[in-house]
Amino acid sequence: MTLEQLQEKLKFLYDDDVRKDISIYATTPTTGLRLFNIENQFLDELKVAFIEEIKAVTDNPSDNFTLENYSSSTKRLDAIYLYDISDQLKPEMQSLKDVKESVDLDNFVVNPENSIDQVNGLYIVIKSDEHVISLYKHIFGVDKIYAQRNLFIVRSHDQFVKQTESMLRISSSFQMLCVDDEIIMTDIQKLERIMDLKEVLTNRAAEHIATIVNERQLVKDSVQLERVSKEPTMAKKLIHALTDGKVFLLNISNAAIIAFAQSKGAKLNMSFEDNQFDLKNKAEAKRFIKLIDDDYLTSGLTQEDYDANQKQEL
């Protein structure tokens, strides 16, 4: 999916002539999706707020704004991300897909075993006759007001009384959006912390390390690449090199890659053995990943060598 395709699929949200309904579901650590039975007037207010937020998040006016593949992009600004590791869905992601098809779910019932205090996620479904999208909103501690831990007062008729029920603050921010069957990540900093996506990236990187070591036989062993791929940024860079990088897309030979690295001598400071890279430590592994992602470039004007992480073709 491209950014333009995503924006096209969301246009129904902004069409005043299209009737749109909203439903909100909640989860706790011990329960699945439950319908939040919210009064209609407040639901309408929430619908307007979430639609405005969707437009703000996905229709950024910046010329540099892009939709990136999550597994291989190291871009952190002016971007939202397509979750492209569909065989490794976190539970929240699966629920985000499932909720669009949910019907007749039980209401969220507050009782001693199931309280607002325990809510950890909201799933928002907005649909028309022809379209349906879903949003995921993680509930943080700051989104809750715990009645048992604090003394709050509210107005009741002509006097103030103690607030005895915990309260939940619902803002229009969200972290994921599901359109068709695609998941769009809109706040990867929070999602990476909430869902521990580091493990997902490491697992995907391991598949590509096997390609480098066993199939291409470009590197003597996998030890240092496995160590460095535990860092999300390097895992993404390695995945990018093998899926979108020019070195592998153009099928540059092992001999040509090694010859280039050797020609740079101390600038790259790589180790070799039996026509393979022999990576001695994490530093060499990082330089190797940057090498196969074509980061080391030479200026045709000055003949100077550069480390160019972000490359844009002319």
Side-chain angles (χ1 to χ4, degrees):
M1 182 187 294
T2 66
L3 179 61
E4 291 73 20
Q5 289 171 333
L6 171 63
Q7 292 169 339
E8 182 66 28
K9 291 177 184 292
L10 295 174
K11 279 186 176 180
F12 82 96
L13 294 171
Y14 322 126
D15 189 339
D16 292 336
D17 294 328
V18 176
R19 175 184 168 83
K20 296 168 285 287
D21 296 313
I22 182 172
S23 301
I24 298 181
Y25 302 84
T27 57
T28 73
T30 57
T31 61
L33 294 164
R34 296 290 186 269
L35 177 66
F36 248 21
N37 189 18
I38 300 174
E39 66 176 5
N40 289 335
Q41 182 178 345
F42 186 33
L43 270 179
D44 288 339
E45 294 177 22
L46 288 170
K47 178 173 65 176
V48 171
F50 279 117
I51 288 176
E52 289 178 350
E53 185 72 10
I54 292 168
K55 186 172 180 61
V57 168
T58 62
D59 201 12
N60 189 313
S62 170
D63 292 337
N64 298 320
F65 185 66
T66 54
L67 176 62
E68 303 280 318
N69 284 337
Y70 174 70
S71 71
S72 58
S73 175
T74 57
K75 185 178 181 182
R76 302 294 284 191
L77 298 174
D78 286 331
I80 52 179
Y81 305 85
L82 176 68
Y83 187 76
D84 56 335
I85 316 176
S86 57
D87 59 335
Q88 296 187 55
L89 294 180
K90 292 293 185 175
E92 296 89 345
M93 295 175 176
Q94 189 60 57
S95 293
L96 184 63
K97 291 189 173 190
D98 293 343
V99 74
K100 293 196 299 179
E101 308 299 328
S102 297
V103 292
D104 298 328
L105 288 177
D106 293 337
N107 284 355
F108 185 92
V109 177
V110 175
N111 55 46
E113 290 76 36
N114 194 57
S115 68
I116 281 182
D117 297 8
Q118 297 172 302
V119 173
N120 61 3
L122 295 181
Y123 296 80
I124 299 94
V125 177
I126 304 176
K127 63 171 63 176
S128 67
D129 289 339
E130 299 180 1
H131 307 278
V132 58
I133 64 153
S134 56
L135 310 174
Y136 170 72
K137 177 180 179 62
H138 185 76
I139 298 299
F140 297 91
V142 296
D143 296 319
K144 303 173 187 177
I145 296 177
Y146 301 93
Q148 292 182 346
R149 303 181 193 174
N150 302 278
L151 292 175
F152 292 96
I153 59 173
V154 294
R155 192 177 69 176
S156 177
H157 303 296
D158 59 348
Q159 64 178 169
F160 293 95
V161 299
K162 179 184 176 183
Q163 171 65 32
T164 58
E165 297 286 342
S166 294
M167 293 185 289
L168 186 65
R169 180 177 69 93
I170 303 179
S171 69
S172 60
S173 64
F174 62 92
Q175 290 82 43
M176 290 190 293
L177 165 71
C178 186
V179 180
D180 292 343
D181 202 40
E182 303 285 4
I183 292 176
I184 309 299
M185 309 168 72
T186 59
D187 191 336
I188 61 171
Q189 277 191 311
K190 289 180 180 176
L191 289 173
E192 286 174 342
R193 186 172 74 250
I194 295 164
M195 298 183 186
D196 190 22
L197 294 174
K198 176 181 174 181
E199 179 185 4
V200 174
L201 292 172
T202 300
N203 291 341
R204 181 51 52 94
E207 298 172 10
H208 295 296
I209 291 172
T211 298
I212 294 169
V213 175
N214 300 327
E215 295 182 24
R216 285 290 297 260
Q217 297 186 345
L218 181 58
V219 176
K220 181 180 177 182
D221 62 60
S222 62
V223 174
Q224 299 303 331
L225 288 175
E226 289 172 353
R227 288 183 66 201
V228 79
S229 68
K230 292 179 181 178
E231 301 175 20
T233 299
M234 295 311 299
K236 285 187 170 193
K237 195 157 190 63
L238 187 148
I239 294 166
H240 179 270
L242 272 78
T243 56
D244 298 311
K246 288 296 182 69
V247 173
F248 280 80
L249 287 177
L250 296 176
N251 199 28
I252 304 299
S253 69
N254 289 5
I257 296 171
I258 291 171
F260 177 85
Q262 290 175 329
S263 74
K264 299 303 177 182
K267 289 183 178 180
L268 291 189
N269 194 25
M270 306 293 288
S271 303
F272 308 91
E273 183 178 315
D274 298 331
N275 297 318
Q276 291 179 302
F277 287 90
D278 182 14
L279 306 178
K280 301 293 188 183
N281 49 52
K282 288 178 67 175
E284 279 197 36
K286 289 182 178 181
R287 291 196 295 273
F288 172 79
I289 291 173
K290 291 176 68 63
L291 171 68
I292 61 173
D293 202 26
D294 205 22
D295 280 2
Y296 300 122
L297 305 177
T298 301
S299 167
L301 183 62
T302 65
Q303 301 307 307
E304 292 286 336
D305 290 327
Y306 292 98
D307 180 344
N309 183 53
Q310 298 295 333
K311 300 171 284 294
Q312 185 171 352
E313 292 186 6
L314 298 177

